[in-house]
Amino acid sequence: RAGGLTTGQSTTFDLNVLSSARPLEVTMVFTDYAGTINSSNPVVNNLDLLVTAPNGTQYRGNVFSGGWSTAGGSFDLKNNVERVAIAVPQAGVWSFQVIGASVPVGPSGYALCATGDVSEGGATFATFGNGCPGSVAVPSPPCAQWNELGGVLANQTSADEWVFRATTTSTDPVVSFELFTASVSGGNVTVPARLYVGSSPGLTPIATTTMTVGGVPGFYTATFATPVSVTSPFHIGIDTSGLGVYLPTLASGTLGVAYSRPNGASAWSVQVVPASYKVHCAPSYLVPAMGNTGLPQLGASFDVELSDALPSTFAVLVQGLSDQTFPGGTLPVTLPGTPGCQVLVSPDAYEALLTDAAGAASYTIAVPNTASLDGLEIFYQWVVLDSAANALGLVTSDGGKAVLGQ
């Protein structure tokens, strides 16, 4: 750009990153004027590079960690070569902004170069808005655990009530816990299971349920009828006063804090034992996600994709010419009985598909090679049948905006 920039001016360029197969590397360079001899800061002009990812994350030139750009930081005030390097770039439209931060002698020309799996065509596809959670739980480890692999059971019994301290950083409620134990008789025994809160257990539990324990040493589960909100620490345990179940303590293992009290007593005594347990908190759920392969280029085809949906269910691809209005009013529109689910695009056309075993679907769209379509905007959103997710039995993805072009 020989014409260059003056102070306060900026120029923005958009580039399509087709995939993360190659790193994205952006370099901006300009030739500065001669500075003052022996000056501590010989810089005359200062241009800055600002790169923005499709998700809004911003990277400033020459802000690196381990050889790759990191978000945030400060603009480089001295160097006339600025780089941004992203190891695994997000697919979508990236913007590169060259800013005339200070150009007392100008205008200042510059050169800008970008490499990666990129395309300069006018065709773009970008996501917008948010989807809402379906019924597919995100696999997650226990939110609290101690000697979580189990081991050799100590085969101890006690007529006292025992509970075991658990700590967690999760803010999600507790849905169940597992204790490593076994029945004394070798048959199935059902015992009360309890949860207490506080740095030491209170007088009465805040939640109770039962646990059925078999004769083989292993983890047995107590599940609460409704999730239990707790603050850390809290305490879990089962009623062993009937002497029908072994304490969930190991012959050896990491020591942890426990409490015991005679059955029916109010005072607890602190203990240190190698207990073995796992606590499970309420899971988070996958949100159906909009995606694409390829770009909506004239005379070519591209795929509008769905992921993170319920497997083997119906999914409808909604297509429209607006993300602002539809015949019934303005967008977005919240679907009744679906917390957080919104219609983001005008429902002008539909395509029904089935998701696969991974909860994914894809629809191929052929773009006519018609010059008058250049620049046309088309909006997409997936609506997924998921009866367990909410009262309406539908969940939505985020939106996708396609701009047709060369």
Side-chain angles (χ1 to χ4, degrees):
R1 287 293 188 269
L5 300 171
T6 59
T7 300
Q9 291 184 326
S10 66
T11 304
T12 301
F13 305 89
D14 290 336
L15 193 64
N16 299 316
V17 174
L18 303 179
S19 75
S20 59
R22 294 176 57 192
L24 174 65
E25 300 187 61
V26 185
T27 303
M28 184 274 295
V29 60
F30 66 97
T31 300
D32 199 5
Y33 290 85
T36 303
I37 297 176
N38 296 326
S39 171
S40 61
N41 183 16
V43 171
V44 176
N45 291 337
N46 177 35
L47 302 185
D48 290 323
L49 174 64
L50 180 65
V51 175
T52 304
N55 63 5
T57 303
Q58 293 187 322
Y59 302 89
R60 290 170 172 81
N62 296 347
V63 180
F64 294 106
S65 176
W68 300 104
S69 294
T70 59
S74 301
F75 285 115
D76 187 330
L77 303 180
K78 291 187 176 182
N79 292 293
N80 67 331
V81 178
E82 296 193 10
R83 295 184 66 249
V84 167
I86 310 297
V88 185
Q90 178 187 5
V93 180
W94 289 68
S95 67
F96 312 136
Q97 186 178 20
V98 181
I99 304 167
S102 176
V103 189
V105 181
S108 176
Y110 60 90
L112 183 66
C113 175
T115 62
D117 188 10
V118 298
S119 168
E120 281 191 286
T124 63
F125 190 98
T127 58
F128 66 94
N130 297 295
C132 57
S135 64
V136 181
V138 177
S140 60
C143 55
Q145 57 190 13
W146 200 264
N147 292 314
E148 66 277 9
L149 300 180
V152 178
L153 199 60
N155 291 342
Q156 295 177 326
T157 60
S158 174
D160 292 346
E161 180 183 5
W162 282 70
V163 293
F164 307 91
R165 176 179 289 178
T167 60
T168 180
T169 58
S170 173
T171 58
D172 296 322
V174 172
V175 295
S176 65
F177 64 85
E178 301 176 63
L179 298 179
F180 191 86
T181 182
S183 68
V184 176
S185 66
N188 288 343
V189 177
T190 299
V191 293
R194 299 164 181 152
L195 187 152
Y196 297 81
V197 294
S199 56
S200 61
L203 182 62
T204 58
I206 65 166
T208 61
T209 184
T210 60
M211 177 185 291
T212 298
V213 179
V216 178
F219 283 103
Y220 295 91
T221 303
T223 302
F224 296 103
T226 57
V228 184
S229 295
V230 299
T231 55
S232 188
F234 56 95
H235 299 81
I236 56 173
I238 53 176
D239 187 346
T240 61
S241 62
L243 303 179
V245 174
Y246 291 117
L247 292 175
T249 55
L250 305 178
S252 63
T254 303
L255 298 176
V257 176
Y259 288 86
S260 66
R261 66 177 177 179
N263 197 29
S266 59
W268 293 91
S269 298
V270 66
Q271 312 286 345
V272 179
V273 295
S276 179
Y277 65 77
K278 294 183 282 191
V279 180
H280 300 280
C281 293
S284 56
Y285 295 90
L286 292 177
V287 177
M290 170 69 67
N292 69 291
T293 296
L295 291 171
Q297 295 173 315
L298 300 181
S301 62
F302 70 105
D303 296 329
V304 179
E305 298 171 335
L306 170 67
S307 59
D308 294 339
L310 183 70
S312 304
T313 191
F314 285 103
V316 175
L317 178 62
V318 181
Q319 307 169 65
L321 295 177
S322 177
D323 65 342
Q324 301 295 316
T325 63
F326 74 112
T330 59
L331 295 169
V333 173
T334 300
L335 292 173
T338 61
C341 298
Q342 292 184 317
V343 176
L344 302 175
V345 307
S346 177
D348 300 327
Y350 310 87
E351 293 292 340
L353 297 90
L354 281 173
T355 60
D356 62 18
S362 180
Y363 183 70
T364 300
I365 298 174
V367 182
N369 191 11
T370 304
S372 61
L373 297 178
D374 194 359
L376 178 67
E377 297 179 351
I378 303 177
F379 300 89
Y380 301 94
Q381 185 179 24
W382 293 95
V383 178
V384 180
L385 179 65
D386 192 337
S387 59
N390 51 52
L392 188 62
L394 297 175
V395 292
T396 56
S397 73
D398 51 342
K401 176 184 177 181
V403 179
L404 309 190
Q406 299 295 330

mmCIF file of all heavy atoms in Angstrom, residues 131-135 288 310 313-316 318 334-343 381-397:
data_model
loop_
_atom_site.group_PDB
_atom_site.id
_atom_site.type_symbol
_atom_site.label_atom_id
_atom_site.label_comp_id
_atom_site.label_asym_id
_atom_site.label_seq_id
_atom_site.Cartn_x
_atom_site.Cartn_y
_atom_site.Cartn_z
ATOM 1 N N GLY A 131 -26.256 -21.555 20.238
ATOM 2 C CA GLY A 131 -27.223 -22.632 20.324
ATOM 3 C C GLY A 131 -27.614 -22.885 21.763
ATOM 4 O O GLY A 131 -27.236 -22.146 22.678
ATOM 5 N N CYS A 132 -28.384 -23.946 22.002
ATOM 6 C CA CYS A 132 -28.819 -24.282 23.353
ATOM 7 C C CYS A 132 -28.530 -25.755 23.625
ATOM 8 O O CYS A 132 -28.475 -26.570 22.701
ATOM 9 C CB CYS A 132 -30.293 -23.965 23.552
ATOM 10 S SG CYS A 132 -31.403 -24.799 22.389
ATOM 11 N N PRO A 133 -28.334 -26.132 24.894
ATOM 12 C CA PRO A 133 -27.896 -27.499 25.212
ATOM 13 C C PRO A 133 -28.947 -28.547 24.873
ATOM 14 O O PRO A 133 -30.145 -28.347 25.077
ATOM 15 C CB PRO A 133 -27.651 -27.443 26.728
ATOM 16 C CG PRO A 133 -27.537 -26.000 27.064
ATOM 17 C CD PRO A 133 -28.397 -25.274 26.083
ATOM 18 N N GLY A 134 -28.453 -29.671 24.352
ATOM 19 C CA GLY A 134 -29.297 -30.832 24.148
ATOM 20 C C GLY A 134 -29.202 -31.771 25.336
ATOM 21 O O GLY A 134 -28.806 -31.372 26.438
ATOM 22 N N SER A 135 -29.531 -33.037 25.117
ATOM 23 C CA SER A 135 -29.537 -34.009 26.211
ATOM 24 C C SER A 135 -28.299 -34.885 26.236
ATOM 25 O O SER A 135 -28.220 -35.815 27.044
ATOM 26 C CB SER A 135 -30.780 -34.896 26.104
ATOM 27 O OG SER A 135 -30.746 -35.677 24.915
ATOM 28 N N PRO A 288 -25.613 -28.277 20.095
ATOM 29 C CA PRO A 288 -25.464 -28.514 18.650
ATOM 30 C C PRO A 288 -24.735 -27.346 17.983
ATOM 31 O O PRO A 288 -25.036 -26.184 18.250
ATOM 32 C CB PRO A 288 -26.914 -28.630 18.163
ATOM 33 C CG PRO A 288 -27.669 -29.093 19.366
ATOM 34 C CD PRO A 288 -27.008 -28.418 20.537
ATOM 35 N N LEU A 310 -27.838 -34.854 19.259
ATOM 36 C CA LEU A 310 -28.268 -36.182 19.676
ATOM 37 C C LEU A 310 -28.092 -37.154 18.514
ATOM 38 O O LEU A 310 -28.479 -36.853 17.387
ATOM 39 C CB LEU A 310 -29.731 -36.124 20.102
ATOM 40 C CG LEU A 310 -30.353 -37.420 20.634
ATOM 41 C CD1 LEU A 310 -29.761 -37.765 21.992
ATOM 42 C CD2 LEU A 310 -31.861 -37.276 20.732
ATOM 43 N N THR A 313 -31.279 -38.957 15.260
ATOM 44 C CA THR A 313 -32.521 -38.211 15.416
ATOM 45 C C THR A 313 -32.708 -37.302 14.205
ATOM 46 O O THR A 313 -31.828 -37.179 13.355
ATOM 47 C CB THR A 313 -32.504 -37.383 16.715
ATOM 48 O OG1 THR A 313 -33.816 -36.861 16.974
ATOM 49 C CG2 THR A 313 -31.531 -36.214 16.617
ATOM 50 N N PHE A 314 -33.890 -36.680 14.116
ATOM 51 C CA PHE A 314 -34.159 -35.771 13.011
ATOM 52 C C PHE A 314 -33.510 -34.408 13.266
ATOM 53 O O PHE A 314 -33.540 -33.894 14.386
ATOM 54 C CB PHE A 314 -35.664 -35.589 12.812
ATOM 55 C CG PHE A 314 -36.334 -36.762 12.163
ATOM 56 C CD1 PHE A 314 -37.085 -37.652 12.916
ATOM 57 C CD2 PHE A 314 -36.206 -36.993 10.798
ATOM 58 C CE1 PHE A 314 -37.699 -38.748 12.326
ATOM 59 C CE2 PHE A 314 -36.807 -38.083 10.194
ATOM 60 C CZ PHE A 314 -37.563 -38.962 10.962
ATOM 61 N N ALA A 315 -32.940 -33.846 12.227
ATOM 62 C CA ALA A 315 -32.389 -32.499 12.276
ATOM 63 C C ALA A 315 -32.858 -31.756 11.027
ATOM 64 O O ALA A 315 -32.832 -32.306 9.926
ATOM 65 C CB ALA A 315 -30.867 -32.528 12.324
ATOM 66 N N VAL A 316 -33.297 -30.543 11.209
ATOM 67 C CA VAL A 316 -33.803 -29.728 10.109
ATOM 68 C C VAL A 316 -32.859 -28.546 9.901
ATOM 69 O O VAL A 316 -32.554 -27.813 10.848
ATOM 70 C CB VAL A 316 -35.223 -29.227 10.393
ATOM 71 C CG1 VAL A 316 -35.695 -28.279 9.282
ATOM 72 C CG2 VAL A 316 -36.185 -30.406 10.529
ATOM 73 N N VAL A 318 -32.595 -25.063 8.609
ATOM 74 C CA VAL A 318 -33.420 -23.910 8.257
ATOM 75 C C VAL A 318 -32.570 -22.937 7.456
ATOM 76 O O VAL A 318 -31.438 -22.623 7.839
ATOM 77 C CB VAL A 318 -33.982 -23.224 9.518
ATOM 78 C CG1 VAL A 318 -34.866 -22.042 9.144
ATOM 79 C CG2 VAL A 318 -34.761 -24.227 10.370
ATOM 80 N N THR A 334 -37.297 -16.491 20.866
ATOM 81 C CA THR A 334 -37.097 -17.578 21.823
ATOM 82 C C THR A 334 -38.211 -18.602 21.685
ATOM 83 O O THR A 334 -39.396 -18.255 21.690
ATOM 84 C CB THR A 334 -37.061 -17.041 23.257
ATOM 85 O OG1 THR A 334 -35.975 -16.109 23.389
ATOM 86 C CG2 THR A 334 -36.873 -18.170 24.264
ATOM 87 N N LEU A 335 -37.838 -19.873 21.559
ATOM 88 C CA LEU A 335 -38.828 -20.939 21.464
ATOM 89 C C LEU A 335 -39.417 -21.215 22.841
ATOM 90 O O LEU A 335 -38.679 -21.341 23.826
ATOM 91 C CB LEU A 335 -38.190 -22.208 20.917
ATOM 92 C CG LEU A 335 -37.728 -22.173 19.466
ATOM 93 C CD1 LEU A 335 -36.964 -23.452 19.116
ATOM 94 C CD2 LEU A 335 -38.922 -22.011 18.532
ATOM 95 N N PRO A 336 -40.740 -21.315 22.972
ATOM 96 C CA PRO A 336 -41.348 -21.560 24.286
ATOM 97 C C PRO A 336 -40.966 -22.927 24.827
ATOM 98 O O PRO A 336 -40.871 -23.902 24.085
ATOM 99 C CB PRO A 336 -42.853 -21.479 23.985
ATOM 100 C CG PRO A 336 -42.972 -21.780 22.521
ATOM 101 C CD PRO A 336 -41.738 -21.223 21.889
ATOM 102 N N GLY A 337 -40.732 -22.980 26.135
ATOM 103 C CA GLY A 337 -40.399 -24.246 26.758
ATOM 104 C C GLY A 337 -39.006 -24.744 26.473
ATOM 105 O O GLY A 337 -38.692 -25.909 26.730
ATOM 106 N N THR A 338 -38.132 -23.862 25.950
ATOM 107 C CA THR A 338 -36.761 -24.268 25.597
ATOM 108 C C THR A 338 -35.789 -23.218 26.124
ATOM 109 O O THR A 338 -35.456 -22.277 25.409
ATOM 110 C CB THR A 338 -36.594 -24.387 24.074
ATOM 111 O OG1 THR A 338 -36.845 -23.101 23.484
ATOM 112 C CG2 THR A 338 -37.570 -25.383 23.495
ATOM 113 N N PRO A 339 -35.329 -23.345 27.338
ATOM 114 C CA PRO A 339 -34.422 -22.334 27.897
ATOM 115 C C PRO A 339 -33.200 -22.115 27.022
ATOM 116 O O PRO A 339 -32.452 -23.048 26.732
ATOM 117 C CB PRO A 339 -34.032 -22.943 29.251
ATOM 118 C CG PRO A 339 -35.137 -23.884 29.593
ATOM 119 C CD PRO A 339 -35.611 -24.433 28.282
ATOM 120 N N GLY A 340 -33.027 -20.879 26.575
ATOM 121 C CA GLY A 340 -31.853 -20.521 25.792
ATOM 122 C C GLY A 340 -31.910 -20.850 24.320
ATOM 123 O O GLY A 340 -30.961 -20.575 23.590
ATOM 124 N N CYS A 341 -33.010 -21.446 23.840
ATOM 125 C CA CYS A 341 -33.099 -21.821 22.427
ATOM 126 C C CYS A 341 -33.774 -20.698 21.644
ATOM 127 O O CYS A 341 -34.892 -20.299 21.975
ATOM 128 C CB CYS A 341 -33.893 -23.116 22.254
ATOM 129 S SG CYS A 341 -33.159 -24.552 23.067
ATOM 130 N N GLN A 342 -33.113 -20.220 20.604
ATOM 131 C CA GLN A 342 -33.647 -19.117 19.813
ATOM 132 C C GLN A 342 -33.624 -19.445 18.330
ATOM 133 O O GLN A 342 -32.719 -20.130 17.834
ATOM 134 C CB GLN A 342 -32.819 -17.843 20.043
ATOM 135 C CG GLN A 342 -32.937 -17.261 21.439
ATOM 136 C CD GLN A 342 -32.176 -15.956 21.557
ATOM 137 O OE1 GLN A 342 -31.059 -15.825 21.067
ATOM 138 N NE2 GLN A 342 -32.775 -14.981 22.195
ATOM 139 N N VAL A 343 -34.630 -18.943 17.620
ATOM 140 C CA VAL A 343 -34.634 -18.964 16.163
ATOM 141 C C VAL A 343 -33.840 -17.746 15.706
ATOM 142 O O VAL A 343 -34.182 -16.607 16.039
ATOM 143 C CB VAL A 343 -36.064 -18.923 15.599
ATOM 144 C CG1 VAL A 343 -36.040 -18.858 14.076
ATOM 145 C CG2 VAL A 343 -36.853 -20.139 16.073
ATOM 146 N N GLN A 381 -29.458 -22.338 10.079
ATOM 147 C CA GLN A 381 -29.503 -22.785 11.465
ATOM 148 C C GLN A 381 -30.077 -24.203 11.510
ATOM 149 O O GLN A 381 -30.971 -24.542 10.728
ATOM 150 C CB GLN A 381 -30.353 -21.854 12.338
ATOM 151 C CG GLN A 381 -30.319 -22.215 13.823
ATOM 152 C CD GLN A 381 -31.146 -21.267 14.680
ATOM 153 O OE1 GLN A 381 -32.085 -20.629 14.187
ATOM 154 N NE2 GLN A 381 -30.812 -21.160 15.954
ATOM 155 N N TRP A 382 -29.555 -25.024 12.423
ATOM 156 C CA TRP A 382 -30.070 -26.370 12.624
ATOM 157 C C TRP A 382 -31.061 -26.395 13.783
ATOM 158 O O TRP A 382 -30.816 -25.782 14.828
ATOM 159 C CB TRP A 382 -28.929 -27.342 12.931
ATOM 160 C CG TRP A 382 -27.980 -27.570 11.795
ATOM 161 C CD1 TRP A 382 -26.801 -26.926 11.566
ATOM 162 C CD2 TRP A 382 -28.127 -28.530 10.735
ATOM 163 N NE1 TRP A 382 -26.202 -27.407 10.430
ATOM 164 C CE2 TRP A 382 -26.984 -28.406 9.902
ATOM 165 C CE3 TRP A 382 -29.092 -29.480 10.419
ATOM 166 C CZ2 TRP A 382 -26.795 -29.191 8.771
ATOM 167 C CZ3 TRP A 382 -28.904 -30.270 9.297
ATOM 168 C CH2 TRP A 382 -27.772 -30.127 8.478
ATOM 169 N N VAL A 383 -32.163 -27.123 13.584
ATOM 170 C CA VAL A 383 -33.118 -27.413 14.655
ATOM 171 C C VAL A 383 -33.152 -28.932 14.810
ATOM 172 O O VAL A 383 -33.368 -29.656 13.833
ATOM 173 C CB VAL A 383 -34.520 -26.871 14.336
ATOM 174 C CG1 VAL A 383 -35.499 -27.227 15.456
ATOM 175 C CG2 VAL A 383 -34.473 -25.356 14.142
ATOM 176 N N VAL A 384 -32.924 -29.405 16.044
ATOM 177 C CA VAL A 384 -32.730 -30.836 16.288
ATOM 178 C C VAL A 384 -33.824 -31.362 17.202
ATOM 179 O O VAL A 384 -34.135 -30.750 18.237
ATOM 180 C CB VAL A 384 -31.349 -31.093 16.915
ATOM 181 C CG1 VAL A 384 -31.137 -32.586 17.160
ATOM 182 C CG2 VAL A 384 -30.240 -30.533 16.028
ATOM 183 N N LEU A 385 -34.402 -32.498 16.832
ATOM 184 C CA LEU A 385 -35.377 -33.174 17.684
ATOM 185 C C LEU A 385 -34.640 -33.845 18.843
ATOM 186 O O LEU A 385 -33.804 -34.722 18.639
ATOM 187 C CB LEU A 385 -36.155 -34.209 16.881
ATOM 188 C CG LEU A 385 -37.215 -35.024 17.640
ATOM 189 C CD1 LEU A 385 -38.337 -34.120 18.118
ATOM 190 C CD2 LEU A 385 -37.762 -36.141 16.750
ATOM 191 N N ASP A 386 -34.956 -33.423 20.076
ATOM 192 C CA ASP A 386 -34.296 -33.953 21.268
ATOM 193 C C ASP A 386 -35.300 -33.900 22.416
ATOM 194 O O ASP A 386 -35.350 -32.933 23.182
ATOM 195 C CB ASP A 386 -33.043 -33.129 21.582
ATOM 196 C CG ASP A 386 -32.149 -33.774 22.625
ATOM 197 O OD1 ASP A 386 -32.659 -34.589 23.416
ATOM 198 O OD2 ASP A 386 -30.942 -33.463 22.654
ATOM 199 N N SER A 387 -36.115 -34.928 22.525
ATOM 200 C CA SER A 387 -37.258 -34.912 23.444
ATOM 201 C C SER A 387 -36.845 -34.823 24.904
ATOM 202 O O SER A 387 -37.620 -34.337 25.737
ATOM 203 C CB SER A 387 -38.126 -36.151 23.224
ATOM 204 O OG SER A 387 -37.371 -37.334 23.435
ATOM 205 N N ALA A 388 -35.645 -35.274 25.246
ATOM 206 C CA ALA A 388 -35.211 -35.252 26.641
ATOM 207 C C ALA A 388 -34.587 -33.923 27.047
ATOM 208 O O ALA A 388 -34.288 -33.714 28.229
ATOM 209 C CB ALA A 388 -34.207 -36.376 26.894
ATOM 210 N N ALA A 389 -34.385 -33.012 26.106
ATOM 211 C CA ALA A 389 -33.653 -31.784 26.402
ATOM 212 C C ALA A 389 -34.505 -30.746 27.121
ATOM 213 O O ALA A 389 -34.018 -30.023 27.994
ATOM 214 C CB ALA A 389 -33.078 -31.190 25.117
ATOM 215 N N ASN A 390 -35.762 -30.638 26.759
ATOM 216 C CA ASN A 390 -36.627 -29.602 27.330
ATOM 217 C C ASN A 390 -38.087 -29.959 27.048
ATOM 218 O O ASN A 390 -38.379 -30.993 26.436
ATOM 219 C CB ASN A 390 -36.273 -28.223 26.750
ATOM 220 C CG ASN A 390 -36.227 -28.238 25.222
ATOM 221 O OD1 ASN A 390 -37.166 -28.678 24.566
ATOM 222 N ND2 ASN A 390 -35.122 -27.752 24.656
ATOM 223 N N ALA A 391 -38.987 -29.086 27.490
ATOM 224 C CA ALA A 391 -40.410 -29.384 27.379
ATOM 225 C C ALA A 391 -40.890 -29.459 25.931
ATOM 226 O O ALA A 391 -41.786 -30.243 25.601
ATOM 227 C CB ALA A 391 -41.220 -28.327 28.140
ATOM 228 N N LEU A 392 -40.312 -28.654 25.059
ATOM 229 C CA LEU A 392 -40.724 -28.655 23.656
ATOM 230 C C LEU A 392 -40.110 -29.812 22.880
ATOM 231 O O LEU A 392 -40.659 -30.235 21.864
ATOM 232 C CB LEU A 392 -40.353 -27.323 23.001
ATOM 233 C CG LEU A 392 -40.881 -27.070 21.584
ATOM 234 C CD1 LEU A 392 -42.422 -27.063 21.576
ATOM 235 C CD2 LEU A 392 -40.347 -25.759 21.026
ATOM 236 N N GLY A 393 -38.974 -30.319 23.353
ATOM 237 C CA GLY A 393 -38.317 -31.427 22.667
ATOM 238 C C GLY A 393 -37.520 -31.016 21.455
ATOM 239 O O GLY A 393 -37.229 -31.840 20.581
ATOM 240 N N LEU A 394 -37.126 -29.733 21.387
ATOM 241 C CA LEU A 394 -36.323 -29.217 20.285
ATOM 242 C C LEU A 394 -35.158 -28.410 20.831
ATOM 243 O O LEU A 394 -35.301 -27.706 21.837
ATOM 244 C CB LEU A 394 -37.156 -28.328 19.356
ATOM 245 C CG LEU A 394 -38.331 -28.961 18.611
ATOM 246 C CD1 LEU A 394 -39.096 -27.883 17.847
ATOM 247 C CD2 LEU A 394 -37.838 -30.044 17.654
ATOM 248 N N VAL A 395 -34.015 -28.498 20.163
ATOM 249 C CA VAL A 395 -32.871 -27.645 20.486
ATOM 250 C C VAL A 395 -32.338 -27.042 19.193
ATOM 251 O O VAL A 395 -32.589 -27.574 18.089
ATOM 252 C CB VAL A 395 -31.755 -28.406 21.223
ATOM 253 C CG1 VAL A 395 -32.209 -28.814 22.608
ATOM 254 C CG2 VAL A 395 -31.300 -29.619 20.427
ATOM 255 N N THR A 396 -31.614 -25.964 19.308
ATOM 256 C CA THR A 396 -31.128 -25.232 18.139
ATOM 257 C C THR A 396 -29.611 -25.077 18.198
ATOM 258 O O THR A 396 -29.002 -25.060 19.267
ATOM 259 C CB THR A 396 -31.757 -23.828 18.049
ATOM 260 O OG1 THR A 396 -31.500 -23.119 19.267
ATOM 261 C CG2 THR A 396 -33.257 -23.935 17.833
ATOM 262 N N SER A 397 -29.016 -24.941 17.020
ATOM 263 C CA SER A 397 -27.595 -24.642 16.919
ATOM 264 C C SER A 397 -27.390 -23.134 16.843
ATOM 265 O O SER A 397 -28.342 -22.350 16.824
ATOM 266 C CB SER A 397 -27.022 -25.298 15.651
ATOM 267 O OG SER A 397 -27.457 -24.585 14.491
#
